[in-house]
Amino acid sequence: MHLLYILLQLAGAIMLLLWAVRMVRTGVERAHGVLLREALRGATKGRVRAAAAGTVLAVMLQSATAVAVLAAGFAATGAMTVSGGLAVMLGADVGSALVVQALSFDLSWLVPLLLFAGATMFLKVEARIVKQTGRTLLGIAFILISLRMVGEATAPMRHSALLPMAIDYLRGDPVTAFGAAALFTWLIHSSVASVLLFMSMAAQGVLPAEVALPMILGVNLGAGLVAVGLTRGQAIDSRRIPLGNLIFRATAAVAILVGLQAATLPISWFGESAARQVVNLHLAFNLTLLVVCLPFTETMERLARLILPDAPAGEETFDLMSRRKSALDRTVIKMPGVALASATREVLRMAETVEIMLRPVMELFESGDKARVAQLRRLDEEVNRAHTDIKLYIAEVNRGTMSQDEARRGIELTDLAINLEHAGDIIAKNLLVLAEEKSDKRLSFSREGWSELTALHDRVLANMQIAMNVLVSGDLEAARQLVVEKERMRKLERDSHERHLKRLQSGTVQSIETSDIHLEAVRALKEFNSLLVSVAYPILTQSGDLLESRLAKTA
């Protein structure tokens, strides 16, 4: 019974640690997501600059995997090369190891301050950045609390009769220790949490450093596997970045593991205590990987292209709508609740396709790639078909017996489908036309104008994610945030318009030549964003938070 209690306490501490790490990442993404994407977009020139950007982003997000997903998204649009993405990933892994370093020190004295400040900011302030910063501070506090819980849970293990036997086995079988740590990291999707857990166990004398060494190597392999899994359904270029990073990490980890069979690593060089040795070994591995592998990112890109070759010409590699089976299940038409759930999945799939259309728009303004433009227009045809199918499906469901709530939900889903179809048209018939016009006339935006457009595009992409989350979860806070973002987009449009007029007055040639394209693109992005916000209105109306066209004040 005592052992069961210890294991339950350890499991609870691990779950709190995972949730806290995710909470920090979510807070940073919601507060500074647009700035993070803009920073990553601006770090595509030069390997060292890309690696530095990856390090900073991973420290802020407390996750190299989150940086991998961002880099994969840029690679899918052509805004980042595979070699550039690999440099970002090598830096991100170092950033993740630096996060572990910071959290490895005794910061328990900070917990009350973090809890008080974080809770006050999150519960009492409505400003998005302040509120999400509060979320981040709470997450850091929970990480520190969870580490203390891990220490308390593992302390009795030092007196266990089974522990020496297990440690002796792992000491004699580093391959098992390596594989178990890789599997554990892959399962929990967090190298930060894994290393912190092993550090806490080492601090309690449960895990000797010589046994932890192959486990740290396994953690780094498992972290590489996580990013590969998360991008497996994306475009080819997106998948090449985590694949190349996995090859780097797997090669280094296996080579060191094999080398340990022939030579003994002087672990005492890495710190006085076992806990310090664990976190320092993790940092040393990633720093070494960065220094050794950074010059070979282009070579790895060529290898990744051999493993994942380009799709045959004309193949719709990102046409998800045509490759997936429709979620509209006609066998449940007479069960309104189930049928509306099917319609919701189809609307979400429609939204994902519209997002795929929107993501490469800024890259197309630069390249004018007509083949890519044609592919996106074919996606718009799929969106139009989905719109028609959803309307007819819900109309058929409405012919049966429905409750008032189900009828209202059917109307909401139909309206959403209509708005998404309109959003797809804005891309296909407006933004893509403007991109083609700019390319055909060989025009260039001013540096300031281009910066304004990319910032607006990034914000709309971020709001697209919020809108899809609201569609799935019905979360009231996210719905409020989405409506607030609409007001911010209006302000950004006004500010961009004023700055553009000043550039015209100053005689900036590029602004004069691209004036119509710039203003129409800004207007299109604002209109697109307004359509996204419609997903929040039913939730806010039902909760009483939406009064006519404005948010109600909260107490």
Side-chain angles (χ1 to χ4, degrees):
M1 181 64 72
H2 183 62
L3 177 61
L4 180 61
Y5 174 75
I6 291 175
L7 293 177
L8 182 61
Q9 187 179 10
L10 180 60
I14 293 172
M15 289 299 103
L16 178 60
L17 177 60
L18 291 175
W19 181 68
V21 169
R22 182 182 182 278
M23 190 175 183
V24 172
R25 183 175 69 250
T26 302
V28 173
E29 286 177 343
R30 291 182 179 179
H32 308 291
V34 174
L35 292 177
L36 295 177
R37 279 185 286 274
E38 186 64 26
L40 189 57
R41 185 192 295 275
T44 56
K45 297 179 180 179
R47 296 170 182 164
V48 175
R49 185 175 178 181
T55 301
V56 173
L57 289 174
V59 169
M60 293 184 67
L61 293 170
Q62 298 204 352
S63 171
T65 302
V67 178
V69 173
L70 285 174
F74 280 110
T77 67
M80 177 176 286
T81 63
V82 174
S83 59
L86 287 170
V88 168
M89 282 306 305
L90 290 169
D93 292 326
V94 173
S96 178
L98 290 174
V99 170
V100 173
Q101 285 283 331
L103 295 173
S104 66
F105 294 101
D106 183 9
L107 301 174
S108 56
W109 58 275
L110 270 177
V111 171
L113 178 62
L114 291 171
L115 288 173
F116 176 77
T120 301
M121 296 166 72
F122 185 75
L123 296 174
K124 299 298 183 181
V125 181
E126 285 302 315
R128 179 173 62 94
I129 292 179
V130 176
K131 191 178 188 71
Q132 296 307 323
T133 300
R135 181 193 294 270
T136 301
L137 295 179
L138 285 172
I140 295 172
F142 293 147
I143 288 174
L144 298 176
I145 292 171
S146 68
L147 292 177
R148 186 172 64 192
M149 290 176 62
V150 169
E152 293 172 354
T154 54
M157 292 184 181
R158 288 178 293 179
H159 309 294
S160 170
L162 295 176
L163 182 62
M165 298 173 58
I167 294 300
D168 287 342
Y169 177 80
L170 292 176
R171 185 180 282 113
D173 189 358
V175 175
T176 298
F178 175 83
L183 178 62
F184 177 73
T185 303
W186 175 77
L187 286 173
I188 68 173
H189 276 42
S190 176
S191 62
V192 171
S194 292
V195 178
L196 288 175
L197 174 64
F198 297 150
M199 177 210 72
S200 296
M201 295 175 68
Q204 294 297 325
V206 175
L207 185 66
E210 62 270 19
V211 178
L213 175 55
M215 298 179 76
I216 291 299
L217 297 175
V219 165
N220 282 279
L221 174 63
L225 290 170
V226 171
V228 170
L230 290 176
T231 57
R232 65 184 181 278
Q234 296 186 20
I236 295 295
D237 274 343
S238 299
R239 292 154 55 195
R240 286 171 179 153
I241 292 175
L243 174 64
N245 185 57
L246 175 62
I247 295 173
F248 275 144
R249 302 178 78 73
T251 302
V254 172
I256 294 174
L257 186 66
V258 172
L260 290 175
Q261 309 307 307
T264 301
L265 183 71
I267 296 179
S268 59
W269 291 1
F270 294 91
E272 297 181 357
S273 66
R276 181 53 47 195
Q277 289 165 1
V278 167
V279 295
N280 287 346
L281 283 166
H282 180 56
L283 178 60
F285 175 87
N286 285 285
L287 281 173
T288 304
L289 198 67
L290 172 64
V291 173
V292 173
C293 297
L294 191 59
F296 299 102
T297 53
E298 291 183 357
T299 303
M300 182 56 71
E301 177 177 355
R302 290 193 289 271
L303 177 59
R305 289 185 182 279
L306 288 176
I307 298 173
L308 289 175
D310 291 323
E315 183 176 327
E316 304 294 333
T317 57
F318 57 92
D319 187 348
L320 300 183
M321 292 292 285
S322 62
R323 289 191 299 170
R324 294 181 185 172
K325 183 180 177 182
S326 172
L328 300 175
D329 186 354
R330 311 203 73 81
T331 64
V332 297
I333 284 286
K334 295 184 179 181
M335 294 182 284
V338 180
L340 291 175
S342 296
T344 301
R345 292 199 305 273
E346 187 68 5
V347 170
L348 179 62
R349 197 160 65 92
M350 189 179 174
E352 290 172 344
T353 307
V354 172
E355 182 192 17
I356 292 170
M357 294 175 62
L358 176 66
R359 197 168 284 278
V361 161
M362 300 315 294
E363 186 268 332
L364 290 174
F365 267 107
E366 285 191 302
S367 68
D369 186 337
K370 293 190 179 297
R372 198 76 174 277
V373 168
Q375 285 180 321
L376 292 181
R377 287 201 170 113
R378 283 194 287 274
L379 274 182
D380 185 52
E381 294 173 3
E382 296 293 340
V383 170
N384 293 341
R385 279 195 287 271
H387 160 245
T388 301
D389 291 344
I390 291 168
K391 283 196 305 182
L392 295 177
Y393 182 83
I394 294 177
E396 190 172 349
V397 174
N398 283 336
R399 297 190 191 110
T401 302
M402 300 179 69
S403 67
Q404 185 176 356
D405 288 342
E406 289 169 342
R408 185 182 67 247
R409 181 59 175 166
I411 293 172
E412 292 170 0
L413 291 173
T414 302
D415 289 342
L416 286 175
I418 292 171
N419 287 336
L420 287 171
E421 190 271 339
H422 188 188
D425 286 345
I426 289 174
I427 298 171
K429 299 175 182 178
N430 194 329
L431 290 170
L432 295 183
V433 171
L434 294 173
E436 288 178 316
E437 180 183 350
K438 175 180 173 294
S439 176
D440 292 341
K441 293 182 178 179
R442 300 176 183 271
L443 300 176
S444 297
F445 291 115
S446 66
R447 185 174 63 179
E448 296 82 2
W450 177 247
S451 178
E452 290 168 12
L453 285 173
T454 54
L456 284 168
H457 179 256
D458 283 343
R459 187 168 288 277
V460 173
L461 276 175
N463 291 344
M464 185 94 199
Q465 288 294 317
I466 298 173
M468 288 194 286
N469 290 341
V470 171
L471 174 61
V472 173
S473 67
D475 182 68
L476 181 58
E477 180 189 342
R480 289 183 59 85
Q481 181 184 348
L482 198 56
V483 175
V484 170
E485 284 295 323
K486 181 178 180 179
E487 298 303 318
R488 288 200 177 97
M489 279 294 294
R490 286 177 179 170
K491 184 178 185 303
L492 287 172
E493 184 209 21
R494 288 195 300 268
D495 292 346
S496 177
H497 184 76
E498 292 173 1
R499 287 192 292 266
H500 181 72
L501 290 180
K502 289 180 180 179
R503 290 193 293 271
L504 294 181
Q505 292 170 1
S506 67
T508 304
V509 175
Q510 291 171 315
S511 295
I512 293 173
E513 292 177 340
T514 61
S515 180
D516 290 343
I517 296 175
H518 178 96
L519 293 174
E520 288 185 36
V522 170
R523 191 179 304 114
L525 289 170
K526 178 200 166 190
E527 185 179 359
F528 186 101
N529 189 78
S530 297
L531 293 169
L532 296 180
V533 177
S534 65
V535 72
Y537 290 152
I539 298 169
L540 295 172
T541 300
Q542 189 173 3
S543 67
D545 284 88
L546 194 67
L547 303 180
E548 295 181 353
S549 62
R550 291 191 289 180
L551 284 171
K553 293 182 180 180
T554 55

